[in-house]
Amino acid sequence: MRGATQTKWIVAATAIALAATACSTSSKSSDSKASSGGGTIAVELGEPQHGLVPQNTAESEGTEVENAIFAGLVDYDRKTNAPTLRVAESIETTDSKVWTIKLKDGYTFHNGEKVTAQSFVDAWNWGANQDNAAEGLPFYAKIEGSEELAPGKDKKPSAKELKGLKVVDDKTFTVTLSAPFSQFKTMLGYNPFYPLPKAFFNDPKAFGDKPIGNGPFEMDGAWEHNKQIKVKRYENFPASDGKAKLQGVTFKIYDNLDTAYNDLRADNIQATDKLPISALSTVKSEFGDRYIYKPESGVGYIGFPIATNPATYGKPEIRKAISMAIDREAITKTIFSGTRVPADDFVNPLIPGYRKGAMGDAAKYDPVKAKEIFTAANGVPNNTIELGYNADGGHKEWIEAVGNQLKKNLGVEVTFKPFEKFGKILDALGEKQYSGAFRMAWSMDYPSIEDYLRPIFSKIAIENGSNYGGYVNPQFETLLDQADQAKTDDEAIKLYQQADDILVQDLPYIPVYTYMSSAAYSKKIKNFDTDAQGRMNLAEVELAG
């Protein structure tokens, strides 16, 4: 997912995601001027990590653009987060194992090619093949035959297609899972399940700079790296799905949130869904009703490279001591001016299955107890902890505040490692080139408790996903599998909660806060909003006058 916005790896996220942002604009934008076609606007974006291929995007900035240019089988109700049919006419099952998906008429790719069942099947087969190293690979693991396409490190795929995918006709395909999975329909709005046109398979790399989607906007030229991504309304998008009201949108790329915010104030851009810390105390008075403040699905963490640096972070007691030495209340109130909420579970409060206080004393600020636990566990080598973070997402202040608390409460030296861009820290962690503790965040890919567990902490997500710490616990894996096969939602949630309890016990990451949407927009637009995943509703935005 966004896996993450400031969170996807904000993806989830995608990682939420984990937010990135990128360069500034020096002159007043003309994008906000009205035109006969509905007008154009500019919005803030961070530089996406890599090419705009849905099956290979697990962070918030690429996901933001893909949300504008692709349409999935389902979308999510903005109030309830329940899945609603979009490109799919129906998604049916009698046993949660074999699913029949029928498509609506009228959807085409931006090159005119018809969206068919084959468009989805081909896309999923590509994403599920480990030779393509797609970040969305773990999300196909439930489909029958996935182990043949992704047999693991140092092994080669023994098949070219998922045996669980069958095209019935142009509008119908079936999905057979290796075991019942009640959350499958809910997953299908996430970008790895978007369709791909035939042109993608001719040159996936080139496609990433100028993707051909099936959504309400199409690319308007190629991605200008570290500068901007322009999209325009796709005139053949089905009216029943809601054609874009704007003629076009420019995603202007920033590497400094203060610069982006100043551009918003000067109307050089018309919206941002990420605000700098410097704006949080005054944005409400300045923007009034055009400031959006509401719960969002992200969770912000301090993560630990358990696999690559076990000498420092391998003991759960050390990780618990660090957690108890962090004053979450002070950070959320003082640093974030109340625009974050102290975390007390690995699951976001918006999600069914969240339990208030699930982390118990691990989330409670107790510096005396923290120091006792830390000392009893023999501390860390060289009495030093390093904290890494991406410098383009407004994280310097809170990470330094955490560092100061650890110095004071645990008696350790703390050093800081800023990475220029969010993608850089993700790359360094993914390639196991960074062994310090790190700032991370996750925004949901789809509204399920399962999405806060498997994509971040499962074994399969180490090589093909967002398990940057390398955490493995067989009991956790077993509980996930049992929850997947539960016959009712209530039964599934109880088992997922038991898996969550394992995370609370082991603390591979430390949840520090949950996100609130902090977005603002100019007087020149109306109907602007963000969803629980932190995505902007650009297809619904209009010029105000």
Side-chain angles (χ1 to χ4, degrees):
M1 84 257 51
R2 93 177 347 78
T5 59
Q6 283 157 331
T7 78
K8 178 167 181 139
W9 295 125
I10 276 179
V11 161
T14 60
I16 146 292
L18 314 165
T21 63
C23 75
S24 97
T25 140
S26 57
S27 61
K28 195 158 183 97
S29 169
S30 61
D31 289 332
S32 61
K33 295 180 180 178
S35 75
S36 59
T40 62
I41 67 169
V43 300
E44 178 273 336
L45 187 76
E47 177 78 356
Q49 185 183 8
H50 38 56
L52 298 171
V53 178
Q55 285 67 26
N56 194 34
T57 300
E59 44 78 32
S60 58
E61 308 311 291
T63 297
E64 187 77 76
V65 180
E66 291 169 6
N67 183 52
I69 60 178
F70 285 90
L73 291 166
V74 304
D75 206 345
Y76 303 107
D77 183 274
R78 206 165 294 154
K79 292 182 178 179
T80 66
N81 289 320
T84 58
L85 297 176
R86 194 174 191 191
V87 177
E89 181 178 276
S90 63
I91 301 174
E92 298 178 345
T93 184
T94 59
D95 58 4
S96 293
K97 182 177 180 180
V98 179
W99 300 75
T100 300
I101 300 173
K102 294 183 181 294
L103 308 182
K104 295 175 183 174
D105 285 321
Y107 287 90
T108 59
F109 290 104
H110 301 148
N111 60 0
E113 178 187 333
K114 185 178 179 181
V115 176
T116 67
Q118 196 70 52
S119 309
F120 287 94
V121 169
D122 288 345
W124 300 6
N125 280 327
W126 185 89
N129 190 319
Q130 72 178 32
D131 283 349
N132 298 319
E135 292 187 353
L137 184 147
F139 294 95
Y140 310 106
K142 298 295 181 189
I143 301 175
E144 191 174 61
S146 62
E147 69 283 353
E148 297 174 11
L149 267 70
K153 190 176 181 181
D154 300 325
K155 297 179 181 179
K156 295 295 293 181
S158 59
K160 294 183 178 180
E161 299 177 345
L162 291 162
K163 68 173 64 171
L165 298 182
K166 303 293 182 185
V167 173
V168 178
D169 55 44
D170 270 2
K171 291 178 57 181
T172 311
F173 66 106
T174 61
V175 185
T176 301
L177 307 182
S178 54
F181 181 43
S182 60
Q183 309 296 304
F184 184 66
K185 179 180 177 180
T186 303
M187 291 177 69
L188 295 178
Y190 185 35
N191 44 303
F193 296 100
Y194 289 164
L196 290 172
K198 296 174 183 176
F200 165 79
F201 303 96
N202 296 329
D203 192 342
K205 190 174 187 306
F207 184 95
D209 273 348
K210 194 175 180 181
I212 300 166
N214 66 318
F217 291 97
E218 62 178 312
M219 293 290 288
D220 186 7
W223 171 7
E224 299 176 61
H225 288 269
N226 296 303
K227 182 180 179 183
Q228 65 183 19
I229 298 171
K230 297 184 73 173
V231 299
K232 61 184 178 181
R233 180 172 57 216
Y234 180 48
E235 300 297 347
N236 292 326
F237 191 69
S240 59
D241 194 359
K243 286 189 177 183
K245 294 179 172 60
L246 292 167
Q247 184 181 20
V249 176
T250 298
F251 295 93
K252 291 196 172 181
I253 298 173
Y254 292 82
D255 58 13
N256 185 291
L257 288 180
D258 285 290
T259 305
Y261 184 62
N262 287 332
D263 273 358
L264 176 67
R265 299 168 75 190
D267 213 24
N268 292 330
I269 62 174
Q270 283 66 58
T272 178
D273 62 354
K274 294 183 287 293
L275 296 171
I277 289 174
S278 61
L280 298 181
S281 61
T282 59
V283 62
K284 173 63 177 175
S285 61
E286 185 165 358
F287 282 84
D289 290 343
R290 292 177 288 108
Y291 168 54
I292 296 173
Y293 177 70
K294 63 182 181 180
E296 192 178 291
S297 69
V299 179
Y301 311 98
I302 297 294
F304 300 103
I306 295 170
T308 56
N309 192 355
T312 303
Y313 303 111
K315 297 178 182 178
E317 297 86 356
I318 293 294
R319 304 193 291 269
K320 183 174 183 178
I322 292 172
S323 181
M324 296 177 70
I326 297 174
D327 188 344
R328 292 164 172 78
E329 194 77 26
I331 288 171
T332 55
K333 287 184 176 179
T334 304
I335 304 296
F336 290 109
S337 299
T339 60
R340 302 288 187 273
V341 177
D344 58 1
D345 192 0
F346 278 82
V347 181
N348 184 280
L350 288 175
I351 304 302
Y354 160 80
R355 296 166 294 164
K356 184 175 179 60
M359 288 180 64
D361 61 359
K364 293 177 181 176
Y365 180 53
D366 189 340
V368 174
K369 185 66 174 176
K371 183 62 182 294
E372 289 176 0
I373 295 172
F374 190 76
T375 302
N378 297 319
V380 294
N382 302 316
N383 201 39
T384 300
I385 290 173
E386 182 171 84
L387 297 176
Y389 65 95
N390 54 301
D392 62 347
H395 301 292
K396 181 175 185 289
E397 293 88 347
W398 82 267
I399 287 294
E400 290 187 350
V402 167
N404 289 332
Q405 291 174 357
L406 298 184
K407 288 180 186 179
K408 177 182 177 182
N409 297 328
L410 299 181
V412 295
E413 292 299 315
V414 179
T415 60
F416 303 98
K417 172 67 174 177
F419 288 78
E420 179 187 7
K421 297 181 185 297
F422 182 55
K424 297 292 185 182
I425 191 171
L426 291 182
D427 290 342
L429 289 168
E431 294 165 9
K432 299 176 177 57
Q433 295 177 348
Y434 180 65
S435 59
F438 49 89
R439 170 265 162 189
M440 194 55 70
W442 183 260
S443 179
M444 70 178 184
D445 305 307
Y446 46 90
S448 167
I449 182 175
E450 182 265 349
D451 189 50
Y452 287 82
L453 306 176
R454 177 175 284 106
I456 319 172
F457 302 112
S458 68
K459 184 176 181 180
I460 191 174
I462 294 175
E463 296 296 332
N464 298 288
S466 299
N467 186 349
Y468 291 110
Y471 169 75
V472 178
N473 184 310
Q475 187 180 1
F476 176 75
E477 302 285 334
T478 298
L479 285 165
L480 286 183
D481 290 341
Q482 291 174 352
D484 290 348
Q485 298 180 48
K487 291 181 170 56
T488 67
D489 286 343
D490 287 345
E491 181 186 350
I493 286 175
K494 288 178 181 178
L495 288 163
Y496 286 128
Q497 288 173 334
Q498 291 178 37
D500 184 28
D501 288 338
I502 299 296
L503 297 182
V504 171
Q505 169 187 298
D506 290 349
L507 293 173
Y509 284 8
I510 293 172
V512 178
Y513 55 77
T514 60
Y515 279 75
M516 300 290 290
S517 284
S518 296
Y521 58 99
S522 82
K523 294 179 180 178
K524 292 197 173 180
I525 62 174
K526 60 182 181 180
N527 300 332
F528 178 84
D529 200 2
T530 60
D531 63 15
Q533 293 160 280
R535 305 177 305 181
M536 295 181 271
N537 66 328
L538 295 174
E540 300 169 38
V541 174
E542 299 179 76
L543 295 185

